[in-house]
Amino acid sequence: MHSAVFLIEFGAIILGLGLLGRLAGRFHFSPIPLYLLAGLAFGTGGLLPLGASEEFVAIGAEIGVILLLLMLGLEYTASDLVSNLKTQYPAGLVDFTLNALPGAVAALLMGWGPVAAVVLAGVTWISSSGVIAKVMGDLGRLGNRETPVILSILVLEDLAMAVYLPIITALLAGVSLAAGSLTLAIALGVAGAVLFVAVRYGRLISRFVSSDDPEKLLLVVLGLTLLVAGIAQQLQVSAAVGAFLVGIALSGEVAEGAHTLLSPLRDLFAAVFFVFFGLHTDPASIPPVLLPALALAVVTAGTKIATGYWAARRAGIGVKGRWRAGGTLVARGEFSIVIAGLAVTAGIEPALGPLATAYVLILVVIGPLTARYTEPVAAWVSSRRTPSAPLLAGVPAPARSPEADREETDRTETGRTEADQDPVGRT
């Protein structure tokens, strides 16, 4: 009987996700907000709470995040990662300053204390790699010039979690400085070792994984990814970071073959992840903290857009690509919920959990919208400020600057990339 209920519930979820995806595709819109609303409807306090399939959905959600980061890692080589980290670390510092401070200040203004301030700073700082990876795929932007900039910021954030999570865990548990330092040292050592192996021995790993049989290739890549992700998480390093580094280590035909084979699995489990996120949010807990969460969301959406714009400008990307980079970084998600969950379990501040949930729900819904519409809205505002054509008649054209040439190249490459991919990404 339990098995039958599980099959009915999980089958209804998958069927519902498929219908919602078709609805979103009809209106050329990302399905992520619809998946979240479906989770709210079937979660705690929703219209029809699930029971038998909840544990399986939780496991599927974790696999979804891992596959999203694996597929993102497959887009780039180890040399790309190292060069991007070397050139984009100032963007990581700007990202931390602009987006962590609002959360810390908000917690202090509400009288929650320094530990809660450190927690809320992490909630507002970290963008959702899972949501952003899905949005970029939906909009057909994985080949855009600004994508490496976005990726570099996400990687810096994810790697920073290897340092931040042990620190916040020690603060919440009130452990001694020595014990906290040991946990931090282990986390840094594991992350560094995995990154070193990915960069130094990536070709050997690809050769080991390579197979002409799609079935064997799928099993080996998926098994290796889950194994590394699990070991990383066991050693206090993010499973997402481990999966991303596995993707970085694979290259050439292996990466191309794995990308083709794993894409359907990624889409399935990623959708399950967003439903699971909504399942564990009680709609009744949101209204009391909605206004402060909304204010914090508006502020940090602006700071994320500023971060992406600045980082893309520093990388020589054209104006349109800068706005796209900023708008894409707005979404928060899995890491923010993990950080808030640690604080809730420790009993630091009762209102912190609902506030973080409302905050993430707002930005995870707004994130796909800002990713799609920030650039066209900025272009519209700019055109409104530009003098009309008759006023410029007879005025000689100014000399072209190197920045203008880069912007024209950016438009050309973006147009060609998006034309070859899903039309959902066209604006």
Side-chain angles (χ1 to χ4, degrees), residues 166-229:
I167 292 176
I168 196 64
T169 302
L171 287 175
L172 294 173
V175 300
S176 64
L177 179 62
S181 300
L182 178 61
T183 302
L184 177 60
I186 293 174
L188 290 176
V190 172
V194 174
L195 181 59
F196 173 79
V197 170
V199 173
R200 187 71 178 271
Y201 302 105
R203 292 185 178 179
L204 293 178
I205 296 174
S206 296
R207 191 179 306 168
F208 167 76
V209 172
S210 179
S211 175
D212 295 332
D213 188 340
E215 177 185 352
K216 296 176 182 177
L217 179 62
L218 174 63
L219 292 174
V220 173
V221 172
L222 184 58
L224 178 64
T225 303
L226 295 176
L227 178 64
V228 172

Side-chain angles (χ1 to χ4, degrees), residues 273-333:
F273 162 71
F274 297 118
V275 170
F276 177 75
F277 184 82
L279 286 176
H280 285 260
T281 302
D282 186 356
S285 67
I286 295 178
V289 295
L290 189 58
L291 286 180
L294 183 60
L296 194 58
V298 170
V299 171
T300 54
T303 55
K304 275 292 182 182
I305 292 174
T307 298
Y309 187 97
W310 184 89
R313 180 180 181 181
R314 182 175 177 272
I317 307 299
V319 174
K320 290 188 175 183
R322 299 172 196 172
W323 287 116
R324 286 194 298 268
T328 303
L329 287 169
V330 167
R332 270 62 158 197

Side-chain angles (χ1 to χ4, degrees), residues 78-409:
S79 59
D80 292 332
L81 174 65
V82 173
S83 63
N84 286 334
L85 292 180
K86 287 181 178 179
T87 57
Q88 293 297 332
Y89 75 89
L93 297 177
V94 171
D95 179 35
F96 170 77
T97 303
L98 291 182
N99 298 287
L101 284 181
V105 170
L108 293 175
L109 290 176
M110 289 184 285
W112 288 356
V115 176
V118 175
V119 172
L120 195 55
V123 172
T124 59
W125 171 25
I126 303 299
S127 297
S128 172
S129 300
V131 174
I132 291 171
K134 175 65 174 174
V135 168
M136 287 194 299
D138 289 342
L139 297 179
R141 293 181 180 175
L142 291 177
N144 283 19
R145 291 190 64 216
E146 73 273 6
T147 297
V149 176
I150 298 171
L151 176 65
S152 298
I153 294 175
L154 294 178
V155 171
L156 287 169
E157 289 180 349
D158 288 345
L159 292 177
M161 285 295 96
V163 179
Y164 176 82
L165 288 178
I167 292 176
I168 196 64
T169 302
L171 287 175
L172 294 173
V175 300
S176 64
L177 179 62
S181 300
L182 178 61
T183 302
L184 177 60
I186 293 174
L188 290 176
V190 172
V194 174
L195 181 59
F196 173 79
V197 170
V199 173
R200 187 71 178 271
Y201 302 105
R203 292 185 178 179
L204 293 178
I205 296 174
S206 296
R207 191 179 306 168
F208 167 76
V209 172
S210 179
S211 175
D212 295 332
D213 188 340
E215 177 185 352
K216 296 176 182 177
L217 179 62
L218 174 63
L219 292 174
V220 173
V221 172
L222 184 58
L224 178 64
T225 303
L226 295 176
L227 178 64
V228 172
I231 293 174
Q233 186 163 307
Q234 187 70 23
L235 296 174
Q236 305 298 319
V237 181
S238 166
V241 172
F244 178 81
L245 293 176
V246 170
I248 289 292
L250 302 178
S251 60
E253 295 182 359
V254 173
E256 295 177 3
H259 191 283
T260 302
L261 292 172
L262 289 170
S263 290
L265 285 177
R266 174 202 59 186
D267 295 338
L268 170 62
F269 286 106
V272 172
F273 162 71
F274 297 118
V275 170
F276 177 75
F277 184 82
L279 286 176
H280 285 260
T281 302
D282 186 356
S285 67
I286 295 178
V289 295
L290 189 58
L291 286 180
L294 183 60
L296 194 58
V298 170
V299 171
T300 54
T303 55
K304 275 292 182 182
I305 292 174
T307 298
Y309 187 97
W310 184 89
R313 180 180 181 181
R314 182 175 177 272
I317 307 299
V319 174
K320 290 188 175 183
R322 299 172 196 172
W323 287 116
R324 286 194 298 268
T328 303
L329 287 169
V330 167
R332 270 62 158 197
E334 59 275 8
F335 271 133
S336 297
I337 293 301
V338 168
I339 294 168
L342 292 173
V344 170
T345 302
I348 296 300
E349 175 57 48
L352 180 58
L355 175 66
T357 300
Y359 170 80
V360 172
L361 277 173
I362 292 170
L363 288 184
V364 85
V365 171
I366 293 177
L369 300 178
T370 58
R372 181 176 177 85
Y373 295 112
T374 297
E375 181 263 314
V377 169
W380 179 81
V381 172
S382 178
S383 67
R384 299 282 292 181
R385 294 179 178 179
T386 303
S388 58
L391 295 178
L392 297 178
V395 179
R400 293 181 62 85
S401 64
E403 181 177 340
D405 291 335
R406 285 195 299 269
E407 183 176 345
E408 180 177 351
T409 302

